[in-house]
């Protein structure tokens, strides 16, 4: 078992944002989390990455609890993520974004950074080379020297994924990767995500509203509503679950 | 014998003025999420307006207080117009309003120095500074005026924030500016109003402090402004009740530290308290759970 | 040459160097998006530490200056531990308060000689000129020992500024510098990209405090006299203005700002009454119209492109 959430509860003040969330993700899964807006999906990601502490319950990664670990320790440990509303660094080039993502895999400390020692230069050169490869893979190498904030929306989403990949994670959490994309961009994204799993061996957990993407990509998924788990299983099973249909029909009536 | 209760009264008087200063900071922080470093400057100008109205125009202390508050409100309007509004139009970091308002405070202080000179001035002794014996403690006329005015201002403010339409709009904006905007509140207007209100309170505090210390000088704004900031942290950013309580705590702590020893360190008490609080309870003494200082 | 070497010019040059270091200390914390308003406090720690060590214990000057920096950094660590993980405003206010506390303490302690301050602090210029005359350098140059000392001090300070500049430039173009920049741009995204935000913020804060301490020590040995009025809130405002005026996002900004804003008031002595009024208005106007200062990212890029093109067009 790569990642396991055990009865995770999160309360903000008096409000329960998540109650009793439990699921397991196996290595090689593309695992989906779906549900209406405000259901608590992103909160699950925030629990896994240590943004907020869990109120009760446990999060196990490779069988070990990662609750209480700092965010950067969790990323370092092998879980990277992207953001629902793109968060790129102003005034940084595309290449620099990848290098920032690669930060936790580099070793140069303060002294090396001040003196630009031989080992620092070597590490830096290797990182840059690897970053170019990664950018080539996601199709952004031609804009490596551009400011990230000048990229079109679809490419910014890709860059976020590439930045997460640069941390050499075992799992990537994708928060609505297809949001705002048109059909052809979504199709390319589906291929990209599959490729990340197949070629890099990275397990994927994704939050998504695009049902087509979820149903094509995910081998398993959970449905969340009002902070509770409504259903869990393979896409086909979940699709026919009455509770899920009700939740979604209710939503589509809006 | 009654040193304790006497010091308590002195502390409460001083603390009430600190509370009024700090409320000004916290109101502006609430709606704008910035620390208004110009508040001390407005406080100082308020003290001078009050002084001039009494000495030059021959007004009584209460009309002068109201005059100072009107002057403060006008300054607040100008502050918002020139130093804050231009920054809101473009997206800037929290650094920009901090520096911009520091600029205003330096400007006000140096103008005051130029116009009124560096010498310390004081209110003429129109109000009795004789001590009235109340049994357990003695209280002067000035203290009664100062404490009474501060308490009345705080009660009026609390009533306004909780009962009136505009007060509720201020609180809603403070809670969440986007939601307030969606609810049809003219948040731009509320921001201007809040800065003016805060500045009027700052000016009133200037008159009160000027009365209690009997000393008005251009540098008083910086010194008192810093204490107001200490209270702001103590009470929790944006927390009006916290600012009130924090003001009293600081006033009492200062008076007692003077009475029982460390008189020369009086001005360090405030920040000693801050550092202690930041170690123990960084979200402020009175903040509600979940609204901490962490991003 | 003779005219350039007059004492007044050399003195102004010394202050330009010290002010550049001070402006850089503001810039260093800003590299991680932090505003520290306590640099006058750190400066005063450095100044008093170095002055007292040199006066009372005869500690050699380079060592005492270094100690000044280290003490300031140690104090910064204590201030930083509770505040640096909080929202940035807390650090701003806590450091501001810290500066005031330091001033009050310096006013009241015996070893700092209270409001009277310390006088007769060993002069860096004369200690450098003694050293040089031992080596026979002064006779070789044919200068009187006072001018030679001042000149040597200018050179020493210039070297220091260049070194700080050089190493900070290297730092910015490295793994650590990228972490700084990421934190400045988006702290949340940086921490979720695997960066230990608290660690790097603390690093920047300690660097800043260290150099503020060093600058304070240099100030003490350049003026031979320090008192608490040298390290007031107005000093912090000066430093902020140097950086914000010159450009708070690029290293050249503090350099430009400190140089211009040290020379201009010197040449406009007659207007000194209005100096702070003008400074105040400048801060407001800068934030309103050009919050990044004179040298913004774009301006520097533009200049760099121009420089590349013009001298060696063939390349």
């Amino acid at each position: 078992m790569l990642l396991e959430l055990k009865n995770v509860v999160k309360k903000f003040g008096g409000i329960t944002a998540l109650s009793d969330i439990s699921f397991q993700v196996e290595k090689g899964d593309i695992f989906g989390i779906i549900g209406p807006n405000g259901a608590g999906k992103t909160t699950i990601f925030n629990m896994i990455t240590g943004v907020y502490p869990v109120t009760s319950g446990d999060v196990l990664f490779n069988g070990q609890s990662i609750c209480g670990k700092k965010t950067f320790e969790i990323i370092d440990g092998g879980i990277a993520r992207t953001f629902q509303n793109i968060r790129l660094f102003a005034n940084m080039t595309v290449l620099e974004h990848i290098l920032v993502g690669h930060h936790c895999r580099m070793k140069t400390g303060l002294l090396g950074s001040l003196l630009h020692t031989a080992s620092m230069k070597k590490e830096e050169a290797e990182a840059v080379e690897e970053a170019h490869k990664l950018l080539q893979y996601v199709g952004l190498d031609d804009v490596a020297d551009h400011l990230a904030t000048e990229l079109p929306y679809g490419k910014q989403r890709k860059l976020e994924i590439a930045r997460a990949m640069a941390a050499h994670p075992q799992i990537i959490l994708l928060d609505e990767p297809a949001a705002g994309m048109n059909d052809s961009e979504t199709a390319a994204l589906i291929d990209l995500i599959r490729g990340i799993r197949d070629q890099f061996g990275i397990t994927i957990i994704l939050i998504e509203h695009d049902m087509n993407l979820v149903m094509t990509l995910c081998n398993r998924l959970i449905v969340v509503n009002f902070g509770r788990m409504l259903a869990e299983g393979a896409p086909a099973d979940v699709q026919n679950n009455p509770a899920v249909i009700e939740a979604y029909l209710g939503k589509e009536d809006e | 014998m009654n040193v304790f209760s006497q010091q308590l009264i002195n502390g409460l008087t001083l603390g009430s003025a600190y509370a009024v200063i700090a409320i000004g900071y916290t109101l502006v922080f609430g709606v704008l999420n910035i620390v208004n470093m110009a508040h001390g400057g407005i406080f100082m100008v308020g003290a001078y307006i009050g002084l001039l109205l009494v000495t030059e125009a021959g007004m009584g202390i209460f009309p002068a207080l109201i005059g100072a508050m009107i002057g403060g409100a006008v300054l607040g309007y100008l502050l918002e117009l020139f130093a804050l509004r231009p920054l809101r139009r473009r997206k800037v970091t929290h650094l920009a309003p901090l520096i911009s308002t520091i600029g205003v405070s330096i400007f006000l202080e140096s103008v005051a120095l130029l116009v009124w000179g560096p010498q310390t001035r004081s209110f003429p002794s129109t109000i009795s500074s004789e001590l009235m014996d109340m049994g357990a403690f003695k209280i002067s006329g000035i203290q009664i005026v100062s404490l009474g005015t501060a308490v009345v201002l705080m009660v009026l403010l609390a009533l306004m924030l909780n009962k009136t339409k505009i007060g509720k709009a201020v609180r809603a904006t403070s809670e969440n500016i986007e939601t307030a905007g969606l609810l049809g509140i003219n948040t731009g207007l509320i921001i201007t109003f809040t800065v003016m209100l805060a500045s009027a309170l700052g000016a009133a505090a200037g008159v009160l402090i000027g009365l209690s210390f009997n000393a008005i000088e251009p540098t008083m704004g910086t010194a008192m402004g810093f204490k107001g900031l200490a209270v702001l942290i103590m009470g929790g950013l944006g927390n009006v009740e916290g600012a009130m309580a924090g003001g009293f705590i600081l006033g009492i702590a200062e008076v007692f530290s003077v009475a029982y020893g460390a008189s020369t360190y009086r001005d360090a008490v405030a920040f000693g308290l801050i550092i202690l609080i930041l170690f123990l309870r960084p979200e402020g003494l009175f903040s509600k759970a979940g609204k901490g200082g962490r991003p | 040459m003779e005219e350039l070497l007059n004492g007044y010019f050399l003195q102004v040059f010394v202050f330009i160097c010290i002010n550049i270091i001070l402006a850089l200390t503001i810039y260093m914390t800003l590299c991680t998006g932090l505003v520290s308003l306590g640099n006058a406090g750190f400066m005063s720690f450095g100044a008093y530490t170095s002055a007292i060590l040199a006066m009372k214990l005869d500690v050699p000057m380079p060592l005492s200056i270094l100690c000044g920096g280290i003490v300031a950094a140690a104090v910064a660590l204590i201030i930083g531990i509770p505040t640096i993980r909080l929202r940035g405003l807390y650090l701003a206010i806590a450091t501001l308060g810290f500066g005031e506390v330091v001033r009050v303490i310096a006013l009241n302690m015996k070893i700092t000689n209270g409001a009277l301050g310390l006088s007769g602090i060993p002069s860096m210029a004369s200690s450098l000129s003694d050293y040089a005359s031992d080596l026979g350098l002064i006779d070789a140059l044919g200068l009187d020992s006072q001018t030679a000392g001042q000149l040597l001090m200018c050179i020493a300070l210039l070297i220091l500024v260049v070194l700080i500049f050089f190493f900070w430039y290297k730092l910015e173009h490295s793994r650590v510098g990228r972490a700084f920049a990421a934190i400045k741009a988006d702290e949340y995204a940086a921490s979720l990209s695997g960066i230990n935000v608290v660690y790097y913020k603390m690093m920047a804060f300690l660097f800043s405090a260290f150099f503020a301490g060093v600058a304070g020590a240099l100030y003490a040995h350049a003026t031979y006299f320090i008192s608490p009025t040298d390290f007031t809130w107005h000093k912090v405002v000066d430093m902020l203005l140097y950086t914000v005026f010159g450009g708070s996002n690029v290293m050249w900004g503090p350099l430009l700002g400190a140089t211009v804003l040290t020379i201009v008031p010197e040449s406009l002595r007659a207007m000194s009454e209005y100096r702070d009024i003008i400074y105040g208005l400048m801060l407001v106007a800068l934030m309103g119209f050009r919050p990044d200062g004179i040298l913004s990212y774009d301006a520097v890029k533009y200049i760099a492109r121009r420089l590349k093109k013009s001298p060696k067009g063939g390349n």
Side-chain angles (χ1 to χ4, degrees):
Chain A
M1 203 61 56
L2 192 55
L3 184 79
E4 181 172 9
L5 270 73
K6 273 187 177 171
N7 311 102
V8 167
V9 175
K10 179 63 195 174
K11 293 181 178 162
F12 292 104
I15 300 153
T16 305
L18 291 177
S19 58
D20 205 21
I21 302 288
S22 300
F23 61 84
Q24 299 176 333
V25 180
E26 307 260 8
K27 186 164 173 30
D29 274 352
I30 296 183
F31 189 93
I33 300 177
I34 62 171
N37 283 325
K41 302 182 299 291
T42 299
T43 311
I44 296 178
F45 276 12
N46 286 341
M47 295 294 104
I48 298 172
T49 49
V51 174
Y52 311 123
V54 298
T55 307
S56 69
D58 206 353
V59 181
L60 302 176
F61 179 53
N62 284 324
Q64 295 208 311
S65 174
I66 52 169
C67 281
K69 283 203 177 184
K70 303 240 167 56
T71 303
F72 72 92
E73 290 169 336
I74 290 169
I75 312 299
D76 193 23
I79 303 177
R81 72 176 276 187
T82 67
F83 304 96
Q84 189 180 342
N85 32 12
I86 300 174
R87 301 188 81 131
L88 295 171
F89 304 117
N91 291 314
M92 268 200 209
T93 65
V94 168
L95 182 73
E96 283 170 329
H97 274 78
I98 306 298
L99 295 174
V100 167
H102 196 56
H103 178 91
C104 61
R105 299 290 162 245
M106 293 170 77
K107 291 194 177 58
T108 307
L110 177 58
L111 216 58
S113 294
L114 280 173
L115 302 175
H116 283 215
T117 52
S119 66
M120 177 271 183
K121 281 184 187 152
K122 183 163 167 272
E123 186 182 60
E124 198 78 2
E126 284 167 2
V128 169
E129 198 192 325
E130 195 201 300
H132 279 299
K133 275 187 196 152
L134 191 53
L135 286 174
Q136 258 160 22
Y137 182 78
V138 297
L140 290 173
D141 202 35
D142 53 328
V143 289
D145 293 328
H146 290 222
L147 284 183
T149 41
E150 288 167 358
L151 295 184
Y153 186 79
K155 290 192 172 180
Q156 292 195 355
R157 284 247 173 244
K158 272 189 185 172
L159 177 57
E160 276 219 330
I161 297 176
R163 178 174 67 186
M165 288 169 73
H168 297 176
Q170 297 174 45
I171 306 179
I172 292 185
L173 313 178
L174 300 174
D175 200 340
E176 300 196 20
M181 287 190 172
N182 62 32
D183 286 350
S184 67
E185 283 173 326
T186 307
L189 180 72
I190 290 176
D191 290 340
L192 177 68
I193 294 174
R194 257 201 203 111
I196 293 170
R197 195 250 327 249
D198 297 339
Q199 292 176 34
F200 292 83
I202 298 173
T203 304
I204 309 278
I205 304 179
L206 57 88
I207 293 173
E208 191 46 74
H209 284 296
D210 185 326
M211 279 310 131
N212 169 39
L213 180 143
V214 173
M215 295 303 160
T216 348
L217 263 179
C218 298
N219 58 329
R220 287 188 338 109
L221 53 90
I222 60 167
V223 187
V224 186
N225 197 13
F226 296 116
R228 271 171 225 285
M229 279 178 56
L230 283 185
E232 179 179 8
D237 302 338
V238 169
Q239 236 167 347
N240 299 321
N241 185 313
V244 176
I245 291 167
E246 195 191 311
Y248 267 85
L249 287 179
K251 190 198 161 216
E252 278 167 15
D253 277 350
E254 283 173 6
Chain B
M1 189 58 230
N2 283 314
V3 177
F4 181 81
S5 49
Q6 183 61 50
Q7 295 302 343
L8 198 62
I9 280 295
N10 295 346
L12 284 175
T13 313
L14 185 59
S16 63
Y18 288 164
V20 176
I21 303 178
I23 289 169
Y25 278 110
T26 223
L27 282 173
V28 173
F29 184 87
V31 294
L32 278 173
N33 251 307
I34 63 160
V35 173
N36 172 16
M37 298 294 289
H39 197 57
I42 289 170
F43 160 91
M44 177 268 302
V45 175
Y48 272 102
I49 294 176
L51 176 80
L52 293 176
L53 287 178
V54 170
T55 55
E56 307 292 320
M59 285 189 185
I61 188 69
F62 288 110
L65 183 82
I66 290 168
M69 288 179 74
I70 293 171
V74 171
L75 275 181
Y77 178 75
L78 296 174
L79 167 76
E80 206 276 326
L81 186 65
F82 290 113
L84 299 176
R85 198 175 298 172
L87 308 191
R88 276 211 307 287
R89 280 202 214 103
R90 38 169 99 203
K91 275 180 109 183
V92 287
T93 53
H94 67 271
L95 170 70
L98 196 73
I99 292 177
S100 173
T101 51
I102 287 175
V104 173
S105 81
I106 290 289
F107 174 75
L108 290 176
E109 187 177 316
S110 40
V111 167
L113 203 62
L114 204 67
V115 176
W116 294 308
Q119 69 275 19
T120 305
R121 302 191 188 193
S122 54
F123 279 99
S125 44
T126 41
I127 315 163
S128 158
S129 55
E130 271 168 45
L131 296 175
M132 279 174 266
D133 203 328
M134 312 289 279
F137 53 84
K138 296 190 174 91
I139 187 164
S140 69
I142 287 175
Q143 281 182 315
I144 295 176
V145 168
S146 176
L147 183 58
T149 311
V151 170
V152 168
L153 284 176
M154 281 188 263
V155 170
L156 286 178
L157 179 76
L159 283 177
M160 196 204 76
L161 287 180
N162 290 308
K163 303 283 180 207
T164 65
K165 202 177 160 204
I166 193 157
K168 284 177 185 167
V170 170
R171 284 197 303 147
T173 309
S174 192
E175 203 66 41
N176 187 323
I177 192 159
E178 275 111 40
T179 315
L182 291 177
L183 290 173
I185 293 172
N186 181 347
T187 51
L189 187 73
I190 291 298
I191 288 171
T192 310
F193 172 76
T194 309
V195 176
M196 288 172 72
L197 175 70
S199 302
L201 287 171
V207 176
L208 299 182
I209 290 275
L211 269 178
S212 326
F213 282 80
N214 222 5
I216 294 172
E217 55 196 5
T219 51
M220 72 190 285
T222 313
M224 280 301 150
F226 286 178
K227 290 189 183 172
L229 285 176
V231 176
L232 174 72
I233 293 262
M234 237 186 277
L237 300 177
N239 182 341
V240 174
E241 293 84 7
M244 292 182 186
F248 283 110
I249 292 175
L250 178 62
I252 291 168
E254 273 194 2
V255 167
F256 275 89
S257 72
V258 173
Y260 295 102
S263 65
T264 46
Y265 286 94
R266 173 191 198 129
D267 291 337
V269 169
F271 287 101
L273 275 176
I274 289 199
I275 290 170
L276 204 68
I277 286 165
L278 288 176
F279 265 107
L280 301 174
R281 228 185 119 78
E283 65 278 19
L285 290 177
F286 306 98
S287 70
K288 293 150 211 136
K291 261 201 130 188
R294 283 158 215 245
Chain C
M1 192 66 187
E2 280 297 303
E3 279 180 15
L4 261 179
L5 286 181
N6 91 34
Y8 176 68
F9 281 126
L10 293 175
Q11 185 78 1
V12 172
F13 187 82
V14 165
F15 281 115
I16 290 175
C17 290
I18 292 177
N19 287 341
I20 288 173
I21 300 175
L22 289 173
L24 282 172
T25 66
I26 297 283
Y27 173 78
M28 285 171 183
T29 42
L30 280 179
C31 278
T32 60
L34 282 175
V35 185
S36 164
L37 300 176
N39 288 9
F42 297 124
M43 201 187 159
S44 119
F45 258 100
Y48 278 107
T49 305
S50 182
I52 291 167
L53 285 177
M55 285 166 79
K56 309 241 151 120
L57 301 173
D58 280 331
V59 174
M61 206 171 286
L63 191 63
S64 75
I65 292 172
L66 185 68
C67 287
I70 291 172
V71 168
V75 175
L77 189 66
I78 299 170
I79 303 291
I81 286 171
T83 47
I84 220 146
R85 57 186 74 233
L86 300 171
R87 209 157 32 174
L89 278 172
Y90 281 88
L91 186 85
I93 297 177
T95 48
L96 181 152
F98 159 77
E100 280 300 286
V101 173
V102 172
R103 198 175 56 82
V104 174
I105 292 174
L107 270 173
N108 286 298
M109 282 200 359
K110 213 166 175 181
I111 195 162
T112 57
N113 203 19
L116 295 174
L118 293 174
S119 50
I121 299 168
S123 140
M124 186 169 171
S126 54
S127 121
L128 282 170
S129 89
D130 289 351
Y131 188 66
S133 75
D134 287 349
L135 295 176
L137 272 177
I138 291 188
D139 298 334
L141 285 171
L143 292 167
D144 65 289
S145 70
Q146 201 192 346
T147 314
Q150 276 192 313
L151 186 63
L152 286 170
M153 181 168 177
C154 288
I155 294 169
L157 286 179
L158 187 64
I159 292 172
L160 182 64
V161 168
V162 170
L163 281 179
I164 296 174
F165 211 77
F166 176 75
F167 281 110
W168 196 265
Y169 182 84
K170 291 237 163 190
L171 192 68
E172 280 191 1
H173 294 82
S174 72
R175 174 173 176 262
V176 173
R178 274 195 304 270
F180 283 172
I183 294 168
K184 181 181 185 176
D186 186 341
E187 199 177 317
Y188 179 72
S191 80
L192 284 166
S193 302
I195 290 170
N196 185 347
V197 172
V198 173
Y199 173 79
Y200 286 106
K201 276 185 174 180
M202 186 62 107
M203 185 190 278
F205 186 50
L206 293 184
F207 265 117
S208 161
F210 175 81
F211 285 111
V214 168
L218 293 169
Y219 179 83
H221 295 294
T223 58
Y224 336 126
F225 169 73
I226 50 172
S227 77
T229 48
D230 291 325
F231 311 109
T232 57
W233 169 238
H234 286 88
K235 196 90 201 175
V236 179
V237 175
D238 286 351
M239 299 178 207
L240 263 181
L241 189 60
Y242 298 148
T243 308
V244 168
F245 171 80
S248 54
N249 286 329
V250 289
M251 278 199 82
W252 301 101
L255 190 82
L256 175 79
T259 310
V260 171
L261 294 180
T262 312
I263 293 174
V264 170
E266 283 295 332
S267 46
L268 297 174
R269 278 276 161 121
M271 290 186 59
S272 64
E273 257 186 300
Y274 302 97
R275 196 196 80 139
D276 278 353
I277 297 182
I278 296 167
Y279 272 21
L281 288 176
M282 260 169 78
L283 281 175
V284 177
L286 272 172
M287 287 299 107
F289 298 110
R290 205 170 163 81
D292 290 340
I294 304 277
L295 294 174
S296 59
Y297 283 122
D298 299 338
V300 169
K301 252 195 226 158
Y302 176 80
I303 294 168
R305 232 181 295 137
R306 271 303 176 84
L307 287 180
K308 255 183 211 164
K309 265 187 203 161
S310 54
K312 1 179 180 174
N315 275 359

